Amino acid sequence: CSSDLGFARTEGAQSDLLPSVSGEGRQGAIAKASAYLQDYATAFGARPGELKQSEVYAGKNGYSITFAQSYKGVPIFAGEIKAHVDQDGDLTSVNGFAAPDLSLDVTPGLSREQASAKALQIVSAKPAGYEDGGPRNFRAGLAVRDAKLVVYRTGSPRGITGESKLAWAVEVWNKKTIRESLILDAATGKALNRWSMMADALDRERSEEHTSE
């Protein structure tokens, strides 16, 4: 097998990353993927105890098992490893992102309410995607849809080395014109990242309308 940062796959005649463990059926696939990560989680940046099975998808080509990463009970933002077991029970690939070498305090300096208020203030002042203004009353009805405490790895969206920080992941929206996600430093309230989700929301709405026709 070969492995790169966050990716392992079979090559050539070899078809199984863990031939010593049976992977037949749903439970067999889960057990095989779990056994592999118990031994090799550190190659992806995670400690074995930081990964927990969160989802299993069964398809025509076998099973895809997702493991979510957390640290001291706090989820890692976008921290997921996926293992793929084919119909023959072979573990053919493992890939994903995990934040490495975690060591941080998970007690936030800002409360959920304070982080929510800060996110609402940021978006109200200058919504992402509307730097040149927008339609009349496009800011009306803004509210915080969700706020979760996470560990955020700076630099990960660009694939570069960064720092793990405790953060609030906050979603602000008004259902129609604005839907934005923000990552706020849980100690200072500084925005570590933010992006508009309106394009994704509009694409889903169009897909749903087309499906219902």
Side-chain angles (χ1 to χ4, degrees):
C1 82
S2 69
S3 68
D4 302 306
L5 181 61
F7 188 79
R9 64 186 181 275
T10 57
E11 283 186 352
Q14 186 174 353
S15 62
D16 195 346
L17 288 168
L18 196 65
S20 61
V21 177
S22 173
E24 295 182 7
R26 177 188 173 91
Q27 292 305 315
I30 294 171
K32 190 181 186 83
S34 299
Y36 180 86
L37 287 173
Q38 183 64 36
D39 290 339
Y40 299 107
T42 53
F44 296 85
R47 303 178 183 96
E50 294 172 354
L51 297 174
K52 183 178 180 180
Q53 178 210 324
S54 59
E55 186 178 31
V56 179
Y57 171 76
K60 62 180 181 179
N61 296 319
Y63 296 91
S64 177
I65 303 101
T66 301
F67 296 82
Q69 185 188 17
S70 64
Y71 177 73
K72 295 182 179 180
V74 178
I76 310 305
F77 185 82
E80 286 188 344
I81 303 293
K82 290 183 181 291
H84 306 276
V85 179
D86 67 17
Q87 290 180 320
D88 296 325
D90 292 341
L91 179 62
T92 57
S93 67
V94 182
N95 56 72
F97 162 76
D101 306 319
L102 293 172
S103 178
L104 68 158
D105 186 356
V106 294
T107 303
L110 271 66
S111 67
R112 183 188 303 272
E113 292 72 22
Q114 289 172 320
S116 296
K118 179 68 174 178
L120 192 58
Q121 178 187 29
I122 291 172
V123 176
S124 296
K126 195 173 184 179
Y130 292 97
E131 286 75 13
D132 298 323
R136 185 179 179 182
N137 298 324
F138 73 103
R139 291 183 175 89
L142 280 176
V144 172
R145 188 184 188 192
D146 193 21
K148 295 179 180 177
L149 190 65
V150 300
V151 173
Y152 180 76
R153 184 76 171 183
T154 63
S156 60
R158 293 176 289 161
I160 61 176
T161 301
E163 181 183 359
S164 294
K165 289 182 173 289
L166 190 67
W168 287 101
V170 187
E171 184 178 336
V172 176
W173 76 334
N174 64 359
K175 297 184 181 181
K176 294 183 179 180
T177 55
I178 296 172
R179 184 182 176 191
E180 186 171 344
S181 286
L182 302 92
I183 305 295
L184 304 182
D185 190 307
T188 65
K190 177 184 177 182
L192 302 175
N193 201 352
R194 60 183 293 197
W195 62 92
S196 173
M197 300 170 67
M198 280 306 298
D200 292 339
L202 290 173
D203 287 344
R204 280 197 298 274
E205 287 177 7
R206 294 191 187 103
S207 176
E208 290 171 359
E209 289 172 359
H210 179 73
T211 302
S212 63
E213 290 177 357

